[in-house]
CSV table of all heavy atoms in Angstrom, one decimal:
chain,number,residue,atom,x,y,z
A,80,LEU,N,-34.7,-11.3,13.2
A,80,LEU,CA,-34.9,-10.6,11.9
A,80,LEU,C,-33.7,-9.9,11.4
A,80,LEU,O,-33.3,-9.8,10.3
A,80,LEU,CB,-36.1,-9.7,11.9
A,80,LEU,CG,-37.5,-10.4,12.1
A,80,LEU,CD1,-38.6,-9.4,12.3
A,80,LEU,CD2,-37.8,-11.3,10.9
A,81,SER,N,-33.0,-9.2,12.4
A,81,SER,CA,-31.8,-8.5,12.1
A,81,SER,C,-30.7,-9.4,11.6
A,81,SER,O,-30.0,-9.1,10.6
A,81,SER,CB,-31.3,-7.7,13.3
A,81,SER,OG,-32.2,-6.7,13.7
A,82,ALA,N,-30.6,-10.6,12.2
A,82,ALA,CA,-29.6,-11.6,11.8
A,82,ALA,C,-29.9,-12.1,10.5
A,82,ALA,O,-29.0,-12.2,9.6
A,82,ALA,CB,-29.5,-12.7,12.9
A,83,ILE,N,-31.1,-12.5,10.2
A,83,ILE,CA,-31.5,-13.1,8.9
A,83,ILE,C,-31.4,-12.0,7.8
A,83,ILE,O,-30.8,-12.3,6.7
A,83,ILE,CB,-33.0,-13.6,9.0
A,83,ILE,CG1,-33.1,-14.8,10.0
A,83,ILE,CG2,-33.4,-14.0,7.6
A,83,ILE,CD1,-34.5,-15.2,10.2
A,84,GLY,N,-31.8,-10.8,8.1
A,84,GLY,CA,-31.7,-9.8,7.1
A,84,GLY,C,-30.3,-9.4,6.8
A,84,GLY,O,-29.9,-9.2,5.6
A,85,GLY,N,-29.4,-9.3,7.8
A,85,GLY,CA,-28.0,-9.0,7.6
A,85,GLY,C,-27.3,-10.1,6.8
A,85,GLY,O,-26.5,-9.8,5.9
A,86,LEU,N,-27.7,-11.4,7.0
A,86,LEU,CA,-27.1,-12.5,6.3
A,86,LEU,C,-27.6,-12.4,4.8
A,86,LEU,O,-26.8,-12.6,3.9
A,86,LEU,CB,-27.5,-13.8,6.9
A,86,LEU,CG,-27.0,-15.1,6.2
A,86,LEU,CD1,-25.5,-15.1,6.3
A,86,LEU,CD2,-27.6,-16.3,6.9
A,87,ILE,N,-28.9,-12.2,4.6
A,87,ILE,CA,-29.4,-12.1,3.2
A,87,ILE,C,-28.7,-10.9,2.5
A,87,ILE,O,-28.3,-11.0,1.3
A,87,ILE,CB,-30.9,-11.9,3.2
A,87,ILE,CG1,-31.6,-13.2,3.7
A,87,ILE,CG2,-31.4,-11.5,1.8
A,87,ILE,CD1,-33.1,-13.0,3.9
A,88,GLY,N,-28.6,-9.8,3.1
A,88,GLY,CA,-27.9,-8.6,2.5
A,88,GLY,C,-26.5,-8.9,2.2
A,88,GLY,O,-26.0,-8.6,1.1
A,89,GLY,N,-25.8,-9.6,3.1
A,89,GLY,CA,-24.4,-9.9,2.9
A,89,GLY,C,-24.2,-10.9,1.7
A,89,GLY,O,-23.3,-10.7,0.8
A,90,ILE,N,-25.1,-11.9,1.6
A,90,ILE,CA,-25.0,-12.9,0.5
A,90,ILE,C,-25.3,-12.2,-0.8
A,90,ILE,O,-24.7,-12.4,-1.8
A,90,ILE,CB,-26.1,-14.0,0.8
A,90,ILE,CG1,-25.6,-14.9,2.0
A,90,ILE,CG2,-26.2,-14.9,-0.5
A,90,ILE,CD1,-26.6,-15.9,2.4
A,91,ALA,N,-26.3,-11.3,-0.8
A,91,ALA,CA,-26.7,-10.5,-2.0
A,91,ALA,C,-25.5,-9.7,-2.5
A,91,ALA,O,-25.2,-9.6,-3.7
A,91,ALA,CB,-27.9,-9.7,-1.8
A,92,LEU,N,-24.8,-9.1,-1.5
A,92,LEU,CA,-23.6,-8.3,-1.9
A,92,LEU,C,-22.5,-9.1,-2.6
A,92,LEU,O,-22.0,-8.8,-3.6
A,92,LEU,CB,-23.0,-7.6,-0.7
A,92,LEU,CG,-21.7,-6.8,-0.9
A,92,LEU,CD1,-21.9,-5.6,-1.7
A,92,LEU,CD2,-21.1,-6.5,0.5
A,93,LEU,N,-22.2,-10.3,-2.0
A,93,LEU,CA,-21.1,-11.1,-2.5
A,93,LEU,C,-21.5,-11.8,-3.8
A,93,LEU,O,-20.7,-11.9,-4.7
A,93,LEU,CB,-20.8,-12.2,-1.5
A,93,LEU,CG,-20.2,-11.7,-0.1
A,93,LEU,CD1,-19.9,-12.8,0.8
A,93,LEU,CD2,-18.9,-10.8,-0.4
A,94,ASN,N,-22.8,-12.1,-3.9
A,94,ASN,CA,-23.2,-12.8,-5.2
A,94,ASN,C,-23.5,-11.9,-6.3
A,94,ASN,O,-23.4,-12.3,-7.5
A,94,ASN,CB,-24.5,-13.7,-4.9
A,94,ASN,CG,-24.2,-14.9,-4.1
A,94,ASN,OD1,-23.1,-15.3,-4.0
A,94,ASN,ND2,-25.2,-15.4,-3.5
A,95,GLY,N,-23.8,-10.6,-6.0
A,95,GLY,CA,-24.1,-9.6,-7.0
A,95,GLY,C,-22.9,-9.2,-7.8
A,95,GLY,O,-23.0,-8.9,-9.0
A,96,GLY,N,-21.7,-9.2,-7.2
A,96,GLY,CA,-20.5,-8.9,-7.9
A,96,GLY,C,-20.3,-7.4,-8.0
A,96,GLY,O,-21.1,-6.6,-7.6
A,97,ASN,N,-19.1,-7.0,-8.5
A,97,ASN,CA,-18.7,-5.6,-8.5
A,97,ASN,C,-19.5,-4.8,-9.5
A,97,ASN,O,-19.8,-3.6,-9.2
A,97,ASN,CB,-17.2,-5.5,-8.8
A,97,ASN,CG,-16.3,-5.9,-7.7
A,97,ASN,OD1,-16.3,-5.3,-6.6
A,97,ASN,ND2,-15.5,-6.9,-7.8
A,98,GLU,N,-19.8,-5.3,-10.6
A,98,GLU,CA,-20.5,-4.5,-11.6
A,98,GLU,C,-21.9,-4.1,-11.1
A,98,GLU,O,-22.3,-2.9,-11.2
A,98,GLU,CB,-20.7,-5.3,-12.9
A,98,GLU,CG,-19.4,-5.4,-13.7
A,98,GLU,CD,-19.6,-6.0,-15.1
A,98,GLU,OE1,-20.7,-6.2,-15.5
A,98,GLU,OE2,-18.6,-6.4,-15.7
A,99,THR,N,-22.7,-5.0,-10.5
A,99,THR,CA,-24.0,-4.7,-10.0
A,99,THR,C,-23.9,-3.7,-8.9
A,99,THR,O,-24.6,-2.7,-8.8
A,99,THR,CB,-24.7,-6.0,-9.5
A,99,THR,OG1,-24.8,-6.8,-10.6
A,99,THR,CG2,-26.1,-5.6,-8.9
A,100,PHE,N,-23.0,-3.9,-7.9
A,100,PHE,CA,-22.8,-3.1,-6.8
A,100,PHE,C,-22.3,-1.7,-7.2
A,100,PHE,O,-22.8,-0.7,-6.7
A,100,PHE,CB,-21.9,-3.7,-5.8
A,100,PHE,CG,-21.8,-2.9,-4.5
A,100,PHE,CD1,-22.9,-2.8,-3.6
A,100,PHE,CD2,-20.6,-2.3,-4.1
A,100,PHE,CE1,-22.9,-2.1,-2.4
A,100,PHE,CE2,-20.6,-1.6,-2.9
A,100,PHE,CZ,-21.7,-1.5,-2.1
A,101,ARG,N,-21.4,-1.6,-8.2
A,101,ARG,CA,-20.9,-0.3,-8.6
A,101,ARG,C,-22.0,0.5,-9.3
A,101,ARG,O,-22.1,1.7,-9.1
A,101,ARG,CB,-19.8,-0.5,-9.6
A,101,ARG,CG,-19.2,0.8,-10.2
A,101,ARG,CD,-18.6,1.6,-9.1
A,101,ARG,NE,-18.1,2.9,-9.6
A,101,ARG,CZ,-18.9,4.0,-9.8
A,101,ARG,NH1,-20.2,3.9,-9.5
A,101,ARG,NH2,-18.4,5.1,-10.2
Side-chain angles (χ1 to χ4, degrees):
L80 291 174
S81 297
I83 295 173
L86 181 61
I87 292 173
I90 291 173
L92 174 68
L93 297 179
N94 288 341
N97 283 299
E98 289 187 9
T99 299
F100 187 65
R101 178 63 183 83

